[in-house]
Amino acid sequence: MWDKLFPPKWRHRNPAIRAEAVNLLQADDPNLAQVITRDADAGIRRIAARRLEDLDLLFDVMNSDSDDSVRVAARRRIWQLLAGEAGSVSEQEAASRLNRQKDPEMAEYLVRRSPSPLVRRLALSMLDKPALLADIAMKDPDGDIRLEALNAIDRLPTLERIAREARGRDKRVARLAREMVEGLREQQERPLKQQQAVERMESYAALQQPDQTAVTHLHAEWEQLQQDAADELRTRFAAAHRTAQQAIEAARKSREELERQREVCDQAKKLLNDLESNATKPSYDIEGVGKVIGLLGNSWQLLEQELGEINAALATELEETLGLLRKRTAEIARQRKQHARQLEIIGAIEAAAKGETVASRNRLKEIEQRWHNLPGKPEADLERSFRQHLQQAQMRLEKSAERADALEAEFAQHLEQLGKALDNGKLAPANTAMGQARKCHDELQQIAPQKLKATKTTWSRLLGRLSELRDWQRFGSDRVREELIAAMHALAGEELSVTERGKRVRKLRDRWREVDRKGGAAPDAMWERFNAAAEAAYAPVVAHREAQQESQQQAAARRGEFCDSLEQEYRAIDWEQPDWPAIDARMRQLRDKWRKLGGVDKETWQILNQRFIETIEPFEERLRGVRDSEKQRRERLIKQVTRLATEPDLQTAIDETIAAQEKWKPLVTASRGVEQRLWKQFRAACDAVFERRNVHNEEVNQELGENAENKQALVDAMQALAGLPADRRQDARAERDRLVSEWNEIGQMPKSRFRQINDAWNKALKAYDASEQRAEVAQWNDHIDRIVAQAARLDALEQAMCNGEEIALEEQFDGLFRQRVTAIGKAERALCDAHEANLERRNRLMLEIEVLLGLETPEAYADERRQWQLEHLSDAMTGGLAVSPREQALAMLEKACSSGAVPGNRQQEYLARQQAIVSALKQ
C-alpha cells in the first residue's frame, strides 16, 4: 500500500524524475532490471543499460530491445564490463563471453582496453584488420601478444612499416617483422622465380653444350623453389633438366673422345719435337723412338675400333707426323753410325795425345790413315779436334824421350832416399820414398821400360828390406787393434739410440782403417774378430732398418689398396646428379688420409704418388669446372658488394651485403691461396659497406644523444614545475601541456638511456599531477574556509548593525556576498527582521547538504529530513546529472553563507551543524 501511495521515483510518471531516480540506483539494484525491461521510455532504458552489471540481462537487451540506442548502450556496457572498466567480471568470464559471441567489434574494443592478457589474446584471434593489428603489435604491453598480432598480419606495406618503426622500440617485433617481410616478398616473388627457373633450364636444355655449373646451381635453386610449384612447372623443369644433363653428358663424352684422339696426335708431335731437339745428343734413345712410333700407331688403331668415327683432320695430322718421325729416325741413325766411327778415331788419337796409351810413330800414322778413309766429310769441329789431338800426340811422342831421361834420374834419387830411410829404421819416410819411386817406376814401365833394367836388382832388394821393417812396425799396431776389438765388444752391450750406435761403430771402424794405413794390414784372424764384434754392435741398427723397411712395405701396400678403393669410389658416384660439396670435402679428406698412410722409400714413393695423382685426377677434372664457376660467381659477388659501397640507400646496401654474405659459401673450394685472396677482397668490400653503417650509426647516436639531453632538460623542467608552490601555479597547466608537446615532438633516445629518462619523465608527470591535485585540494579547502570566515564576519557586522553599533566595511569580500555587503552598508533595517527566516533557510540548506553528503542530521531535524525526502528529494537533486554531490553541496553552502545572519541565541547550534558539513567537504 505504501508503494501505491508513494511509488518510487524510478516509477514516477514524469520521465525526468524517473531518469534522475534511475541514475541514483546502485548497479546491483534489482530495480534496474525492471526499469530496463518494463520502462516505456527508451532514454530511461538507455540510462539503466549504462548502469546495469548483469551480463545475461544486458545480452538479452542487446539482442531484443526495440530501440537501437538501447541496444547500442547495452552493447557498450557489455564491452565496458568485459574490459574491466566497470563491475568485477573475471578474466575467465570475459574470455568465455567473448569466445561465445565471436563479435569482431567487441574483440577490437577488448584488445585495446582489457587489462587481461588472456582476453586480449583471445580477442586478437578474432581480428583481421591490418591497421589494428599493427597498432597492437607496436603498443600492446605484453610482448607475446605483440608477436601474435604481428604474426596475424599478411600485408607487406604494414609489415614494412612495423619493421621500420619498431626498430628502436622492440627488437623482437622489429626482427620478426623483417623476417616476415622477407618471407612475404619471397612468397610473392616465388611464382615468378619458379617460372624464370623453368625457362632458364629450358634455355640450357636447348643448347648443344650447356654449362654444367650453371645447370647445377639452377637445380639447387629449384630445390628451394619447388615446394609449392605447379605440377606443370615441375614436369617442365624435370624434362628440361634431364635433357640438359643428357646434352652435358654427350658433350663430355664427345670432348673425351676428341681429347683421346688429340692426345695421340699431341704425343706424336711432342715426340717429333723431342727428336729434333735431341738429334745431336748421342745419349738419346733412337730405338726407343721407333718403339714409341709403333705404340702410337697401335693406339690410333684401337681408337678407330673403339670409337668407330675418327676426326679426319686429326687422322691426317697423325699420319703426317708419324711419317716425319720415321724419316728423321732413319736419318739420325745413319748419322750416328758415321759419328760413332769418327768419335772412335778421335778417341784413339786423344788417348795417345793424353798419354793414356803408348803410341809409336807407326801407330800415329795408322790412326791418321783411318781418318782419311772415312766416308763423307767430317764436321768442322770434329776435324779440328782430330788435328789438335794428332798434333798433341806427335808432340807428346817427342817429349816422351826427354821425360824418360828425367824419370830415370828421379827414380835413382828416390831409391837412394829409400835406402837411407831403411838404414835408419824409419818406416814413414821409407813409405814416402817408396811411393814416389813406384810412381817413377810405373811411368818408366810405360814409356821406356828398357831404362829399368839397370836398377831392377836394387829395386827388388829395397822392397824386401821395406817388408821386414813393416813386419816389425805391425807388432805395435796389433796392440792398438786389440784395444779397438775390446771397445767394439763393450759397445755391443751399451744402451744407445740407433743413430748414436751407428756413429760410434763407424768411428771405431775408421780408427781400424787408420791403423791399417799406418801399420799395415791386420792379420786375417784379428780382422775377423774385429768384424764380428762390429757386426754384433751394429745388429740393433740393422734390425731397426729391417723393421723400418717392413713398415715401409706395409705402408706401400696400404697406399696401393687406397688407390684401388679410390678407383672404386669414383665408379660408384652418380655423376649425373653429383653432390659437389660432399665430393669436394671427400677430396680433402682423401688427400689428408694419403699423407698419413705411412712413409715409404723414395723410389716407391715416386711410383705410388704418381698413381695417386692419376687416380684422383678424374675427380679433380670434374671438380675443376665447378671450382672455376664458383670462383667466377664469388668474383661477381665481390664486384656487386664493391658497387654497394656507393649505393645511395644505405639500408638497401646493408641488406644486399648481408644477402651476399649468405651466398658466399661455395659449392666447392679452390686452392688455399685463391680462397684467401677472394675472402680478403670480399671482406674488404663488406667492411667498406659496414663502415658506412658505422658512420651513419654514429650520426644517429649523436642525434639520439641530443634527443636524450633535450628530454632530460624537459624532465628537469617538469620536476621544477611540480615543485611550484600553490600561489605560483597560475600558468602551470599551460606550461605542463607545452612541455608534454615538446616531449612528443622530440625523436627517439639511445637504448642505454631510454628507460632511465622515460621513467624519470613518468615520475615527473605523476609528481606534477600529485602537486596539481594537492593544489586543487588546498584551493578547495581555502575557498571553503574563506567563504565560512567571510560569512561569519558579515554575520558579526550585521548583528552589530542591528544592535545599533557603528560598523566599517573596509574588508574585501567575495562577489557572492555582494548583496549582503550592499545591504549592510546601507544599514537596511529589513535585515534585522529576517534573522528567523534566514535560520530556516540555512537549516533547510544544511538538511539538503547532509542528505547529499550522507551526513547525520541532528535529532531535532530528523522528522523534517524524512518529510523532505518523501516530498522534495527529486527536486533537491536537480542541477544536472554531470554535477557531483560535493559540488552541489558546496554550491548550497555558498548559498547558505550568502543569506543573512541568524538569531544570536541559535547561532552556536547552527555553527556546529555548519562545521560538520565543512569538515565533510574538505579533502
Side-chain angles (χ1 to χ4, degrees):
M1 181 177 180
W2 180 266
D3 290 340
K4 292 180 180 179
L5 292 176
F6 302 100
K9 298 298 182 182
W10 56 268
R11 291 172 57 187
H12 201 278
R13 287 177 297 176
N14 189 336
I17 296 176
R18 291 206 309 276
E20 294 174 1
V22 170
N23 267 324
L24 295 176
L25 293 177
Q26 297 296 325
D28 56 352
D29 194 323
N31 294 322
L32 278 175
Q34 299 185 34
V35 173
I36 201 169
T37 55
R38 299 180 182 179
D39 200 296
D41 192 295
I44 296 175
R45 295 201 307 276
R46 187 168 59 251
I47 295 173
R50 291 171 181 167
R51 298 184 56 80
L52 193 63
E53 292 184 358
D54 188 339
L55 284 172
D56 294 330
L57 183 56
L58 284 170
F59 275 109
D60 290 341
V61 172
M62 181 185 71
N63 295 324
S64 61
D65 197 278
S66 59
D67 189 85
D68 290 342
S69 65
V70 177
R71 293 197 299 273
V72 170
R75 187 183 189 190
R76 184 75 176 183
R77 182 61 174 175
I78 291 172
W79 293 357
Q80 292 175 346
L81 291 172
L82 295 182
E85 296 175 343
S88 58
V89 178
S90 66
E91 65 175 357
Q92 289 78 13
E93 175 69 12
S96 176
R97 294 282 185 174
L98 175 61
N99 192 38
R100 287 200 298 269
Q101 291 297 314
K102 298 289 192 297
D103 185 353
E105 294 183 5
M106 179 191 294
E108 181 177 348
Y109 186 91
L110 294 180
V111 81
R112 290 183 180 275
R113 305 198 179 196
S114 175
S116 168
L118 174 64
V119 175
R120 294 203 308 277
R121 183 173 285 107
L122 179 60
L124 180 64
S125 65
M126 302 178 183
L127 299 175
D128 59 355
K129 294 182 179 180
L132 175 60
L133 294 173
D135 190 56
I136 296 169
M138 294 288 292
K139 298 179 180 180
D140 196 277
D142 191 299
D144 293 336
I145 294 180
R146 292 198 298 271
L147 293 178
E148 290 182 15
L150 181 61
N151 280 316
I153 300 173
D154 58 359
R155 293 186 71 251
L156 184 59
T158 304
L159 291 172
E160 290 176 340
R161 178 174 63 84
I162 294 174
R164 185 171 56 253
E165 296 179 358
R167 187 175 301 167
R169 301 181 181 179
D170 191 327
K171 286 184 177 179
R172 294 199 303 166
V173 170
R175 182 171 59 254
L176 179 58
R178 288 196 299 271
E179 293 174 356
M180 293 177 68
V181 166
E182 294 174 0
L184 196 56
R185 283 177 180 169
E186 182 180 358
Q187 183 179 358
Q188 293 176 354
E189 297 172 358
R190 183 180 295 274
L192 178 59
K193 289 183 177 179
Q194 291 171 348
Q195 182 67 31
Q196 292 174 347
V198 171
E199 293 174 354
R200 284 165 57 196
M201 183 58 75
E202 289 176 342
S203 66
Y204 290 152
L207 298 177
Q208 187 175 1
Q209 294 184 3
D211 185 353
Q212 181 175 1
T213 303
V215 171
T216 301
H217 277 293
L218 183 56
H219 186 267
E221 182 181 344
W222 178 256
E223 291 295 327
Q224 304 297 325
L225 293 172
Q226 69 171 348
Q227 286 82 359
D228 54 351
D231 293 339
E232 178 189 358
L233 293 179
R234 291 173 182 265
T235 304
R236 287 174 58 192
F237 187 90
H241 180 255
R242 186 165 53 254
T243 303
Q245 288 295 112
Q246 292 172 355
I248 291 171
E249 183 62 23
R252 183 187 65 79
K253 289 182 178 180
S254 178
R255 286 196 304 271
E256 289 180 354
E257 293 173 356
L258 191 61
E259 286 298 324
R260 292 172 64 186
Q261 299 173 45
R262 185 175 288 111
E263 183 180 0
V264 176
C265 293
D266 291 344
Q267 289 177 353
K269 287 184 177 180
K270 182 179 179 182
L271 182 61
L272 180 59
N273 294 332
D274 191 49
L275 178 62
E276 295 293 346
S277 301
N278 298 282
T280 58
K281 295 181 181 179
S283 60
Y284 191 72
D285 187 6
I286 293 297
E287 295 181 359
V289 172
K291 294 178 181 179
V292 173
I293 292 173
L295 291 175
L296 290 175
N298 294 335
S299 298
W300 189 262
Q301 291 178 0
L302 291 175
L303 284 176
E304 289 178 342
Q305 296 173 3
E306 179 182 349
L307 302 180
E309 184 178 353
I310 294 296
N311 187 283
L314 292 178
T316 303
E317 179 183 336
L318 178 64
E319 184 178 356
E320 293 175 353
T321 305
L322 292 180
L324 289 174
L325 279 169
R326 294 187 185 97
K327 180 178 178 182
R328 286 294 295 145
T329 302
E331 292 176 354
I332 293 171
R334 184 171 59 256
Q335 292 172 359
R336 280 196 173 185
K337 288 181 180 180
Q338 296 176 0
H339 189 69
R341 292 179 63 188
Q342 295 169 1
L343 292 178
E344 180 185 357
I345 297 172
I346 291 175
I349 196 64
E350 183 179 5
K354 293 180 179 179
E356 296 175 357
T357 61
V358 178
S360 61
R361 292 187 183 278
N362 294 332
R363 174 63 177 166
L364 293 181
K365 290 181 179 180
E366 179 190 353
I367 295 174
E368 186 177 7
Q369 186 61 40
R370 287 175 59 195
W371 181 260
H372 289 308
N373 295 334
L374 286 173
K377 186 178 180 180
E379 296 179 1
D381 292 341
L382 294 178
E383 180 69 29
R384 186 168 48 254
S385 178
F386 176 79
R387 294 301 172 185
Q388 289 176 353
H389 289 135
L390 178 61
Q391 185 180 3
Q392 292 172 3
Q394 291 172 346
M395 292 176 61
R396 187 176 187 82
L397 186 61
E398 294 175 357
K399 290 180 180 180
S400 62
E402 299 175 1
R403 176 62 178 166
D405 294 339
L407 284 175
E408 184 180 11
E410 185 180 352
F411 181 62
Q413 183 182 357
H414 290 320
L415 288 180
E416 183 181 358
Q417 292 174 355
L418 177 59
K420 290 180 180 180
L422 292 174
D423 292 340
N424 295 328
K426 295 182 178 180
L427 181 61
N431 287 331
T432 302
M434 176 63 184
Q436 293 174 348
R438 185 174 293 281
K439 289 182 181 179
C440 295
H441 178 275
D442 293 343
E443 190 173 351
L444 282 172
Q445 184 70 37
Q446 292 181 358
I447 63 175
Q450 68 278 5
K451 291 183 178 293
L452 294 176
K453 293 180 180 180
T455 57
K456 182 177 181 181
T457 304
T458 304
W459 173 249
S460 299
R461 180 175 54 82
L462 291 176
L463 286 178
R465 291 182 62 188
L466 179 60
S467 177
E468 292 177 0
L469 182 59
R470 285 177 174 173
D471 289 340
W472 283 102
Q473 187 71 26
R474 188 178 293 112
F475 177 74
S477 299
D478 289 345
R479 292 175 56 189
V480 176
R481 290 188 178 98
E482 289 293 342
E483 293 175 358
L484 292 176
I485 293 171
M488 191 65 80
H489 281 298
L491 179 62
E494 293 186 20
E495 293 291 338
L496 299 172
S497 65
V498 173
T499 303
E500 181 64 22
R501 181 176 294 275
K503 289 181 179 179
R504 292 179 64 175
V505 169
R506 285 192 298 272
K507 186 175 182 181
L508 291 177
R509 284 187 178 275
D510 290 342
R511 288 184 61 189
W512 182 277
R513 283 191 291 270
E514 183 180 358
V515 173
D516 283 350
R517 187 173 61 254
K518 292 181 178 179
D524 292 342
M526 185 175 290
W527 161 248
E528 290 176 358
R529 286 168 56 204
F530 176 77
N531 191 48
E535 290 179 354
Y538 200 69
V541 178
V542 174
H544 171 74
R545 290 181 176 175
E546 290 176 352
Q548 188 177 27
Q549 184 177 8
E550 182 179 358
S551 174
Q552 290 177 348
Q553 293 174 353
Q554 294 175 355
R558 289 196 299 271
R559 290 180 182 274
E561 294 172 356
F562 181 78
C563 291
D564 294 339
S565 65
L566 193 57
E567 293 174 350
Q568 296 176 1
E569 185 171 346
Y570 177 82
R571 292 191 294 269
I573 294 176
D574 182 7
W575 291 108
E576 293 184 358
Q577 295 182 342
D579 185 353
W580 293 117
I583 295 174
D584 184 43
R586 180 59 176 165
M587 287 301 97
R588 292 193 297 271
Q589 180 184 2
L590 291 173
R591 291 184 182 277
D592 184 63
K593 187 175 181 180
W594 175 257
R595 288 191 294 269
K596 297 178 181 179
L597 285 177
V600 297
D601 61 90
K602 184 176 181 181
E603 182 178 357
T604 305
W605 165 254
Q606 292 177 351
I607 298 173
L608 290 174
N609 193 54
Q610 182 62 32
R611 183 188 175 192
F612 174 73
I613 293 173
E614 294 174 355
T615 305
I616 208 170
E617 177 60 24
F619 291 93
E620 292 296 337
E621 183 179 358
R622 292 182 179 271
L623 284 169
R624 198 170 291 118
V626 183
R627 285 199 176 97
D628 293 341
S629 176
E630 286 298 291
K631 176 175 172 293
Q632 295 171 6
R633 181 183 66 83
R634 288 183 288 171
E635 287 174 344
R636 290 194 296 269
L637 279 179
I638 291 171
K639 293 180 181 178
Q640 175 186 344
V641 176
T642 302
R643 288 194 297 269
L644 290 176
T646 57
E647 167 65 34
D649 189 345
L650 178 58
Q651 187 59 45
T652 299
I654 295 296
D655 294 340
E656 293 187 8
T657 300
I658 294 174
Q661 288 179 333
E662 295 175 351
K663 298 176 182 177
W664 176 258
K665 185 177 181 181
L667 281 174
V668 297
T669 57
S671 63
R672 181 184 298 272
V674 173
E675 288 294 327
Q676 290 177 348
R677 175 178 61 80
L678 291 176
W679 175 247
K680 185 176 180 181
Q681 295 174 354
F682 183 68
R683 182 66 178 272
C686 292
D687 290 344
V689 177
F690 293 135
E691 182 61 28
R692 288 183 59 201
R693 181 177 65 179
N694 295 337
V695 173
H696 174 73
N697 289 342
E698 289 179 0
E699 297 174 354
V700 172
N701 291 336
Q702 182 178 1
E703 181 181 354
L704 295 179
E706 293 175 356
N707 292 344
E709 295 300 328
N710 293 336
K711 287 198 172 185
Q712 182 61 51
L714 293 179
V715 170
D716 298 338
M718 185 63 75
Q719 291 174 345
L721 188 64
L724 289 176
D727 57 350
R728 295 176 57 191
R729 302 184 66 86
Q730 296 83 353
D731 300 326
R733 172 60 64 178
E735 179 64 14
R736 184 259 187 197
D737 294 340
R738 185 186 68 79
L739 293 177
V740 171
S741 177
E742 288 188 14
W743 174 276
N744 294 330
E745 291 176 359
I746 296 176
Q748 299 179 354
M749 297 180 290
K751 296 179 181 179
S752 58
R753 301 185 63 186
F754 175 80
R755 183 181 296 276
Q756 175 188 358
I757 297 178
N758 202 56
D759 291 347
W761 172 255
N762 292 331
K763 291 180 181 178
L765 286 177
K766 292 180 180 179
Y768 172 82
D769 293 340
S771 64
E772 189 74 9
Q773 185 176 4
R774 289 194 299 270
E776 292 175 357
V777 170
Q779 186 178 5
W780 173 278
N781 293 339
D782 291 344
H783 179 64
I784 294 174
D785 290 339
R786 187 171 65 255
I787 290 174
V788 173
Q790 291 188 2
R793 176 62 179 156
L794 288 174
D795 287 349
L797 290 174
E798 188 175 334
Q799 291 287 355
M801 182 200 71
C802 291
N803 293 333
E805 301 175 5
E806 292 186 3
I807 59 174
L809 295 172
E810 295 90 0
E811 299 181 19
Q812 294 294 327
F813 295 92
D814 288 341
L816 59 91
F817 299 124
R818 184 177 296 110
Q819 294 181 356
R820 289 193 66 186
V821 172
T822 301
I824 293 173
K826 292 180 179 180
E828 295 179 357
R829 299 306 300 177
L831 296 177
C832 301
D833 298 333
H835 288 176
E836 290 294 338
N838 292 340
L839 177 62
E840 182 179 357
R841 187 181 303 109
R842 287 192 179 188
N843 283 332
R844 176 56 61 90
L845 290 172
M846 293 301 107
L847 178 64
E848 294 180 8
I849 294 172
E850 288 166 349
V851 172
L852 278 174
L853 298 181
L855 299 177
E856 293 184 1
T857 302
E859 187 63 30
Y861 300 95
D863 292 338
E864 185 179 354
R865 176 170 178 162
R866 284 191 294 271
Q867 184 66 28
W868 187 90
Q869 285 177 331
L870 290 173
E871 297 179 1
H872 302 289
L873 179 59
S874 61
D875 295 335
M877 292 302 296
T878 57
L881 296 177
V883 181
S884 68
R886 292 177 61 82
E887 292 175 345
Q888 296 182 40
L890 178 60
M892 291 179 181
L893 177 62
E894 292 174 350
K895 187 176 181 181
C897 291
S898 64
S899 62
V902 300
N905 59 347
R906 303 289 298 276
Q907 188 171 7
Q908 292 301 323
E909 175 187 346
Y910 166 75
L911 291 177
R913 194 174 183 183
Q914 178 181 269
Q915 184 59 38
I917 292 174
V918 168
S919 298
L921 281 175
K922 283 187 175 182
Q923 299 178 1

